[in-house]
Amino acid sequence: MALTTEQQTSHLSRLQQEILAWDYYRMGGEDDPGAAAGRTLREVPKTFASINEYLDVFEPLVLEECAAQVCRGEEGDARPSNVAAVLSSERVDGFHVVKFVLGEEAMREFRDNDLILAAKTDPAPDKDETKTNKDRDKVKDEDEAEAEAEDEGAVEERNAERGIKKKHEKGDAKGDGDGDDERSSAYENMYALGFVDGRDSRNVMRVRFHLPEAGGGQGVFKRRAALTDDDFTRFRSVRNALATPKKAWYLMHLANMSTIAREWLGLHAFPAVPFAPP
C-alpha cells in the first residue's frame, strides 16, 4: 500500500524543516553541529526491534547524505548567483513561501525541488572579472529585477504596497563607498536555504523557507534542539527582510533534492510493505 498524497506531503514537510534550518556557511566547519543534529547517528543493526528504531537509524543517514551532496557541489565549478526581487511573501503551514521575480534567463537555472541559497549579499565568489565590473553588473541586475517585480505586482497584486523607496536609502541591497560597507555589515547574516516550490509564470518562482521562531515547540522538528540564539536571530532578520516587496536578493542553486525526497519517502513507506509471515 503506497503512501497517500497527504502522507507524502507531511513527510516531505518534515524533511524540508530539517534541511532548511541548516546554516549553509557553517556546513563542514568546526562549529557545524552536523546535518543530523538533534538526532543520534547509530551503526546500522542487522535487525530492528520496531519501525521507529528503523526510522531513528536511517533518517539521520539520509540527512547526512543530503548535506554531503550540497557540500560536494562546492568542489566543482563556481556556482553563479542570480538577482531576484521579492514579489510577495506569506506564511503557509509553518513555512514562509516567497514569490521572486527573475529574468527569463535566470529562471532556466532553477528547477522544482532545487535547494537554493537566498542572501542579501552576493554569495558567489568573484571570478574572471574585477569586483568593480561585477558590482556594476549586479547593481544593474538589481534594478532590472526590481523593475520586473514592479510590473508583476501591477498585474498580479493590484493592492500591493506602493511607494517603496529606492535602493540607495539605508536598508536596501546596494550602494557605493561607505554605503557598501554599511550594507555588508547589516546584511551579512541575512541568508537562508530555500526549496524551489514551483512557478507562477515565466519569470515568477515560488521558494519555500523554514524560519522558526525561538518560542516555538519542538514537536517533530528534531533539529530545533540544536539551534542557537544566533540561528533564531538570523531567521528573524530574514523573515523581516523577505516581508518587504520589490527588494533585491541573490539566489544561488546548490543541489536538486528529488533523489533525497524519494529516499525519505521510501523510508516512511516501509511500514506499508507487505511481508510474508515467518
Side-chain angles (χ1 to χ4, degrees):
M1 179 178 175
L3 294 173
T4 65
T5 300
E6 184 178 351
Q7 288 172 326
Q8 291 184 35
T9 299
S10 175
H11 292 312
L12 289 178
S13 292
R14 285 186 52 220
L15 172 64
Q16 292 171 357
Q17 286 179 335
E18 298 291 331
I19 294 174
L20 297 182
W22 294 346
D23 186 332
Y24 176 73
Y25 290 111
R26 292 172 64 192
M27 292 178 67
E30 293 182 357
D31 59 345
D32 181 10
R39 303 164 183 259
T40 301
L41 284 173
R42 299 167 50 188
E43 183 176 347
V44 178
K46 294 182 179 179
T47 60
F48 298 91
S50 66
I51 184 59
N52 288 334
E53 182 187 13
Y54 174 84
L55 294 174
D56 286 343
V57 169
F58 280 105
E59 281 188 350
L61 297 178
V62 173
L63 293 172
E64 291 291 345
E65 178 187 350
C66 177
Q69 181 179 338
V70 173
C71 292
R72 274 198 304 270
E74 297 178 349
E75 301 171 2
D77 296 334
R79 291 163 163 162
S81 62
N82 292 277
V83 179
V86 173
L87 178 61
S88 65
S89 176
E90 61 178 335
R91 188 174 177 85
V92 180
D93 298 330
F95 292 89
H96 283 77
V97 178
V98 181
K99 292 182 180 180
F100 286 103
V101 178
L102 299 90
E104 292 187 51
E105 187 70 24
M107 285 286 283
R108 299 190 184 101
E109 299 288 331
F110 302 98
R111 299 288 184 270
D112 288 1
N113 295 322
D114 276 353
L115 181 67
I116 70 168
L117 175 66
K120 287 293 283 182
T121 55
D122 189 359
D126 294 336
K127 200 169 185 178
D128 300 330
E129 59 180 335
T130 65
K131 185 177 186 302
T132 300
N133 288 337
K134 182 175 180 180
D135 286 347
R136 186 181 300 117
D137 290 341
K138 289 298 184 182
V139 165
K140 180 180 177 182
D141 289 343
E142 290 171 10
D143 287 334
E144 292 175 350
E146 293 188 2
E148 289 187 22
E150 192 77 41
D151 292 340
E152 287 289 338
V155 174
E156 298 187 16
E157 298 190 358
R158 297 288 184 182
N159 296 323
E161 293 182 23
R162 297 304 187 209
I164 300 298
K165 295 182 180 179
K166 296 299 182 180
K167 292 191 300 298
H168 345 87
E169 296 184 356
K170 183 179 180 182
D172 213 346
K174 85 173 183 182
D176 51 40
D178 293 338
D180 262 347
D181 294 335
E182 292 178 4
R183 175 198 55 146
S184 296
S185 176
Y187 293 145
E188 62 182 2
N189 287 324
M190 288 188 187
Y191 62 88
L193 296 178
F195 268 99
V196 176
D197 207 30
R199 303 175 183 225
D200 280 4
S201 68
R202 61 182 175 80
N203 65 337
V204 176
M205 180 172 72
R206 296 190 312 276
V207 179
R208 176 181 293 209
F209 297 92
H210 182 54
L211 306 166
E213 299 180 6
Q218 180 170 332
V220 296
F221 177 38
K222 297 184 179 180
R223 188 177 182 83
R224 175 177 287 278
L227 296 177
T228 66
D229 290 342
D230 288 342
D231 290 318
F232 291 115
T233 298
R234 177 170 61 87
F235 294 151
R236 183 175 61 252
S237 297
V238 173
R239 284 197 306 270
N240 293 339
L242 288 173
T244 306
K246 308 179 192 69
K247 297 306 180 183
W249 285 76
Y250 295 95
L251 307 183
M252 186 169 72
H253 173 272
L254 300 177
N256 187 271
M257 295 288 100
S258 294
T259 299
I260 295 296
R262 286 194 294 269
E263 291 182 10
W264 189 265
L265 290 178
L267 289 181
H268 291 275
F270 180 76
V273 175
F275 290 95

